[in-house]
Amino acid sequence: MSLLIDVTKKIQGKSIEKASIELQNERINICEYCPHLSWGVVRSCGKFLQGGKVTYKGEEKELCGCDVDEKAKYKTDGCPLEKW
């Protein structure tokens, strides 16, 4: 799946630089304890490919719906709730 994501990011003009394995593991650990992590075909931030709206720290936020295992691999990607 990473190759498809790399191609999509390149088309969008986004960086495909990968995070270190240590950083990826740190991010995944944060996600595993998040109440908005959905378990299904993949572990996703909210509903897979759809996300969803949540209230976090008093503000309405939009979850991304991304496969968190894939999202954690990209150095410049981040959590929509700014947890990482």
Side-chain angles (χ1 to χ4, degrees):
M1 183 181 270
S2 289
L3 180 59
L4 176 61
I5 294 171
D6 284 355
V7 170
T8 303
K9 283 182 170 291
K10 279 187 177 182
I11 290 169
Q12 295 173 336
K14 295 180 180 178
S15 172
I16 60 167
E17 185 178 1
K18 301 297 191 286
S20 68
I21 294 298
E22 293 81 14
L23 181 56
Q24 291 177 39
N25 289 337
E26 182 181 313
R27 290 172 168 183
I28 293 298
N29 187 53
I30 291 168
C31 292
E32 285 179 346
Y33 290 95
C34 180
H36 306 296
L37 180 67
S38 293
W39 293 75
V41 176
V42 299
R43 296 187 299 178
S44 62
C45 177
K47 191 170 183 177
F48 184 52
L49 299 177
Q50 295 180 7
K53 291 185 181 196
V54 297
T55 300
Y56 181 70
K57 293 186 177 180
E59 294 182 36
E60 190 170 284
K61 300 281 188 169
E62 185 74 36
L63 301 176
C64 61
C66 292
D67 175 338
V68 296
D69 294 294
E70 290 295 322
K71 186 169 187 158
K73 293 179 183 178
Y74 294 92
K75 190 173 184 177
T76 60
D77 278 1
C79 170
L81 303 180
E82 301 174 4
K83 292 182 177 186
W84 53 266

